[in-house]
Amino acid sequence: MPLLVMKFGGTSVADLSRIKNAAAKVKTEVERGYDVIVIVSAMSGKTNELVGWVESTSPLYDAREYDAVVSSGENVTAGLMALTLQEMDIPARSWQGWQVPIQTTSAHAAARFVDIPRANMDAKFAEGFKVAVVAGFQGVSPEGRITTLGRGGSDTTAVAFAAAFGAERCDIYTDVDGVYTTDPRISPKARKLDKIAFEEMLELASLGAKVLQTRSVELAMRYKVRLRVLSSFEDTDETSGTLVCDEDEIMESKVVSGVAYSRDEAKMTLIRVADRPGVASAIFGPLAEAGVNVDMIVQNISETAAGHSGATTDMTFSVPVNQVARARKAMEEARATGSISYDELVEDTDVAKVSVVGIGMRSQVGVAARMFAALAAENVNIKVIATSEIKISVLIDRKYMELAVQALHDAFELEKA
Ligand code: ADP
Ligand code: ASP
Ligand code: MG
């Protein structure tokens, strides 16, 4: 029997009537002859509420209990979706992660898939069940504890099931009708893309476009899953939404295909770090050990400052804003043990990252110049720059984020097909 994976995000299962609406879409596919694996998120807002409860109960919480609590939102929607389908006379049942079992690593709150053995679920399909409703976002560790995959992880559950079960397609139903040139909630001129290359989607996702979790795009690219993003609120067919696919399936390719942003960034600068061989490793080693996710890094030219015997330099790096305290602690500890020395640690928690992405950049020069000119024309000051083969990112004051996104969308003429 051909099989489809259909994933419904939080807003698409926000209440009982939306669950019914989603179930009707599943029913349509069952009537077309498909077996369906449905992946559900928690009702919108639920996971945030659960995270809040954990943090209020225990600020330095045990990550295993965090996962036990925050995974529960998906259990509710999985059961409700199965019941809704049964009411429509579709043979369906729910599956929590451990029942499949969805085997993951024990990295709580950021677990990765190890294996999804098919036997249990295949046996149920063979018995005549048409739909398996799986709680997204969760799994079980080798120690038998419940794990979660990181925020937005239900997308990754969907792609992993599509790969494991050889699904014809993996359809991600959400509250927008596809992937846009930028977040349509920020820029009214954002344009829906019919297709986007895996590499570009990967960059956009990792630079903040939360329409797909980064890891889901990675998995889809590796296992050649036909991945599609479409609206759960509209009538849809095989041609709806945005297909995430190989580069060579896309005819037209612009230099820049999208603009992404990430609001929750922070910039940290170590002032007058004693500059000697090994200094970068003495700084970033302890940060990595503390689990801090360093993104951009800039080291200034070293100079000899008053009061210092040798040369000193300033080292700036960016981290997610909720990791600033952890990063500060790691730096203060490294200074206390004498492995690094610096005069001051300056923190700027009011920054955002804005990035332009496009595979066309590989072969075109002048993209950075065009980007910086567009920002300069709006008087937006750039604090840090980072580039890779297909993206350019800048750190700017958070209050200019929307303005910068729109200016770049205009500068690269993204509203035009
Ligand atoms: P779900 O709950 O269905 O998983 P998410 O909120 O995680 O939905 O992701 C969908 C949201 O992603 C959209 O509502 C939109 O605001 C945001 N988004 C950010 N960048 C983009 C983009 N380039 N294209 C489409 N949506 C985007
Ligand atoms: N409910 C989880 C979250 O909000 C997983 C998901 O929706 O993908 O992060
Ligand atoms: Mg999501």
Side-chain angles (χ1 to χ4, degrees):
M1 193 70 87
L3 183 121
L4 281 186
V5 169
M6 303 171 74
K7 180 256 171 178
F8 295 93
T11 39
S12 307
V13 291
D15 56 37
L16 300 185
S17 80
R18 292 214 177 144
I19 292 179
K20 242 187 197 161
N21 167 67
K25 290 193 174 291
V26 177
K27 185 174 186 218
T28 305
E29 300 295 2
V30 170
E31 285 170 352
R32 282 190 185 139
Y34 287 104
D35 281 347
V36 182
I37 298 178
V38 177
I39 311 292
V40 286
S41 288
M43 290 176 170
S44 74
K46 191 69 210 174
T47 310
N48 285 344
E49 181 182 47
L50 295 169
V51 170
W53 288 348
V54 168
E55 288 172 348
S56 303
T57 307
S58 170
L60 290 175
Y61 51 77
D62 173 347
R64 292 164 297 194
E65 300 306 342
Y66 168 97
D67 277 353
V69 175
V70 305
S71 62
S72 65
E74 273 70 10
N75 296 343
V76 175
T77 35
L80 290 172
M81 176 63 85
L83 287 171
T84 309
L85 289 162
Q86 288 173 6
E87 289 296 319
M88 296 172 165
D89 293 325
I90 296 172
R93 66 155 279 188
S94 68
W95 296 81
Q96 294 184 8
W98 63 273
Q99 294 172 311
V100 175
I102 302 174
Q103 298 169 356
T104 72
T105 61
S106 3
H108 285 278
R112 294 195 159 217
F113 290 107
V114 174
D115 194 18
I116 303 179
R118 291 179 49 157
N120 290 343
M121 215 178 251
D122 277 343
K124 288 293 164 192
F125 279 123
E127 273 176 34
F129 279 91
K130 298 302 294 173
V131 181
V133 186
V134 179
F137 181 49
Q138 55 175 257
V140 59
S141 73
E143 294 77 30
R145 303 294 303 255
I146 304 301
T147 54
T148 64
L149 306 171
R151 299 306 304 272
S154 298
D155 298 328
T156 306
T157 306
V159 174
F161 271 84
F165 285 80
E168 202 173 289
R169 238 179 23 238
C170 180
D171 285 344
I172 306 285
Y173 286 88
T174 184
D175 55 2
V176 283
D177 61 353
V179 178
Y180 279 70
T181 48
T182 193
D183 188 345
R185 293 182 207 291
I186 293 261
S187 173
K189 290 189 197 160
R191 178 173 54 86
K192 199 195 95 188
L193 300 164
D194 291 331
K195 291 181 178 177
I196 184 165
F198 282 123
E199 287 88 346
E200 288 175 328
M201 191 62 240
L202 196 56
E203 285 283 5
L204 285 175
S206 71
L207 294 167
K210 67 170 182 162
V211 61
L212 287 173
Q213 198 196 32
T214 308
R215 184 89 185 110
S216 72
V217 186
E218 255 168 39
L219 281 186
M221 189 159 131
R222 167 135 42 103
Y223 294 102
K224 304 225 168 296
V225 171
R226 239 177 145 68
L227 180 62
R228 190 163 69 133
V229 176
L230 66 173
S231 167
S232 69
F233 301 137
E234 292 171 10
D235 285 337
T236 44
D237 59 29
E238 292 80 6
T239 63
S240 308
T242 301
L243 186 70
V244 190
C245 58
D246 279 330
E247 216 174 292
D248 36 341
E249 276 190 61
I250 300 175
M251 303 299 281
E252 37 92 39
S253 180
K254 304 187 83 169
V255 186
V256 165
S257 45
V259 181
Y261 64 88
S262 160
R263 207 183 291 274
D264 305 314
E265 304 283 324
K267 176 166 83 79
M268 304 183 80
T269 305
L270 294 167
I271 310 278
R272 286 183 289 280
V273 184
D275 195 11
R276 50 177 173 73
V279 66
S281 129
I283 292 171
F284 296 106
L287 288 171
E289 271 161 42
V292 175
N293 228 324
V294 174
D295 177 19
M296 305 158 111
I297 301 175
V298 180
Q299 179 178 354
N300 285 9
I301 290 176
S302 60
E303 50 184 352
T304 311
H308 287 267
S309 51
T312 66
T313 183
D314 294 343
M315 187 78 87
T316 298
F317 52 90
S318 70
V319 301
V321 78
N322 62 2
Q323 293 185 354
V324 167
R326 207 184 298 184
R328 185 192 315 124
K329 186 159 166 265
M331 291 298 88
E332 283 168 356
E333 281 172 5
R335 177 152 79 162
T337 65
S339 63
I340 54 171
S341 79
Y342 57 87
D343 280 3
E344 209 186 330
L345 173 56
V346 179
E347 296 165 6
D348 181 351
T349 50
D350 278 323
V351 292
K353 181 170 63 176
V354 176
S355 313
V356 298
V357 170
I359 40 186
M361 266 185 228
R362 286 189 197 130
S363 53
Q364 260 217 282
V365 294
V367 180
R370 212 159 136 196
M371 176 176 190
F372 303 153
L375 295 172
E378 299 291 344
N379 270 317
V380 176
N381 188 33
I382 299 171
K383 301 186 157 199
V384 182
I385 301 168
T387 65
S388 78
E389 203 189 13
I390 66 163
K391 72 119 200 270
I392 304 168
S393 299
V394 295
L395 217 55
I396 59 173
D397 279 329
R398 191 172 302 139
K399 61 177 184 238
Y400 297 128
M401 191 191 81
E402 273 96 347
L403 174 68
V405 168
Q406 281 165 13
L408 294 173
H409 200 271
D410 286 344
F412 290 100
E413 302 183 331
L414 296 184
E415 76 280 8
K416 294 187 200 146

